[in-house]
Amino acid sequence: MRKKIVAANWKMNMLQAEAAEFVKDLLLEIGDMSAVEVVIVPPFTAIAKVVESLDKAQNIKVGAQNMHWEHSGAFTGEISAALLRDLFVRYVVLGHSERRQMFHETDEIVNRKVRAALEATLRPIVCVGETLEQRERGSVEKILSLQLHGSLAGLSGKDLHETVIAYEPVWAIGTGRNATPEQAQEAHAFIRETLTELSDATTADRVRIQYGGSVKVENARALMSQPDIDGALVGGASLDPRSFAQIVQAAANDEVVE
Ligand code: PGA
């Protein structure tokens, strides 16, 4: 059984005081929930405040939105895995489509970061997904395969088990237009098949694959009840503690038939 993982990607939002308030409200809603793995992914500037606010809530983890692949050195403006570990960060989102598009991150760069994260015992959440144009051209599988082979090159079975994949169709991010549960399931099943190619069936079966792209309270349950959808990477709807808490609850209860 794969434990569901639901992450709040705050992107470039949340002042420290807002982050502290969010954590307080979230804990009132879900407590130190252990049925689902919950990860809060603040901007770098709010990480320490989130860690401090979580206090004794051991089950809720903290992630970062990006990192550099080098350990330390003359890289002005960059943050390394070691600096993140120093703040008790456990996860790092890598290869988000906003970084691929706006900051020219290639699969090769994502791969360097993934390997550096794993070396530092940070768990990568590796984002893959097609654009609308690529979907309309019928190239979804080709794109996913290229991104997965490129971003995960050289990883051992153990590395893959530590890694989370996020399927985020670019056309669904921040648009209010989510993939249907069937479209998402099809892509997730293909991703799992590709993971089998990269390692073996047992390993592929253990890797968690999140869906991301306009996840909200209304569609969370239907998406996460699909057999290969093991959680959600939530952007917009994660800025409100109540709606994020409801998405977490949907992950906890997805076996309940409505
Ligand atoms: P969204 O973003 O939920 O606002 O669509 C998801 C993401 O970019 O991770």
Side-chain angles (χ1 to χ4, degrees):
M1 260 303 265
R2 297 180 293 266
K3 184 171 183 171
K4 290 223 169 16
I5 174 165
V6 178
N9 176 12
W10 286 351
K11 308 193 179 184
M12 199 168 69
N13 298 292
M14 290 279 199
L15 302 174
Q16 293 190 72
E18 294 168 333
E21 194 64 22
F22 179 101
V23 172
K24 195 172 107 226
D25 291 347
L26 182 70
L27 290 175
L28 286 175
E29 300 280 338
I30 63 167
D32 190 16
M33 148 99 61
S34 66
V36 171
E37 194 160 4
V38 177
V39 187
I40 301 178
V41 188
F44 293 129
T45 48
I47 287 176
K49 181 57 85 178
V50 169
V51 171
E52 178 197 315
S53 309
L54 282 169
D55 191 21
K56 290 183 186 62
Q58 303 278 348
N59 290 315
I60 301 181
K61 315 272 174 33
V62 180
Q65 298 175 18
N66 180 35
M67 56 168 255
H68 193 269
W69 61 83
E70 291 288 348
H71 185 81
S72 61
F75 299 95
T76 303
E78 293 294 327
I79 300 280
S80 71
L83 298 178
L84 294 174
R85 290 295 285 152
D86 191 40
L87 287 177
F88 305 103
V89 166
R90 309 284 285 277
Y91 282 90
V92 61
V93 175
L94 295 173
H96 190 282
S97 63
E98 286 153 17
R99 297 215 56 87
R100 290 177 187 266
Q101 288 185 334
M102 289 186 263
F103 303 98
H104 314 294
E105 286 195 9
T106 59
D107 290 323
E108 196 207 325
I109 291 174
V110 176
N111 182 242
R112 282 200 214 176
K113 293 183 175 190
V114 168
R115 287 191 286 166
L118 287 163
E119 231 166 78
T121 66
L122 267 182
R123 294 178 159 206
I125 298 179
V126 180
C127 303
V128 294
E130 80 287 356
T131 62
L132 186 58
E133 194 211 334
Q134 289 163 338
R135 176 164 281 268
E136 284 170 349
R137 245 194 285 133
S139 330
V140 176
E141 297 193 347
K142 187 177 138 222
I143 295 298
L144 292 178
S145 175
L146 278 171
Q147 290 178 339
L148 289 164
H149 277 95
S151 307
L152 306 176
L155 264 58
S156 66
K158 184 175 164 288
D159 288 340
L160 275 177
H161 186 223
E162 299 292 317
T163 302
V164 175
I165 309 294
Y167 170 60
E168 297 211 309
V170 179
W171 48 273
I173 295 178
T175 58
R177 179 181 165 199
N178 60 286
T180 64
E182 295 71 28
Q183 282 174 324
Q185 167 55 29
E186 205 181 327
H188 282 231
F190 177 77
I191 290 169
R192 208 174 296 286
E193 251 174 68
T194 309
L195 293 173
T196 308
E197 271 167 44
L198 284 164
S199 54
D200 55 76
T202 316
T203 304
D205 193 51
R206 290 167 75 187
V207 177
R208 291 173 301 173
I209 309 175
Q210 296 176 306
Y211 169 79
S214 297
V215 173
K216 39 190 179 283
V217 179
E218 296 76 25
N219 59 25
R221 171 84 58 98
L223 284 159
M224 288 189 283
S225 57
Q226 295 295 316
D228 286 295
I229 303 188
D230 309 311
L233 182 54
V234 190
S238 77
L239 295 171
D240 172 58
R242 262 153 242 90
S243 71
F244 183 64
Q246 284 179 52
I247 294 169
V248 172
Q249 299 285 7
N253 301 329
D254 88 278
E255 71 278 6
V256 178
V257 180
E258 286 182 289

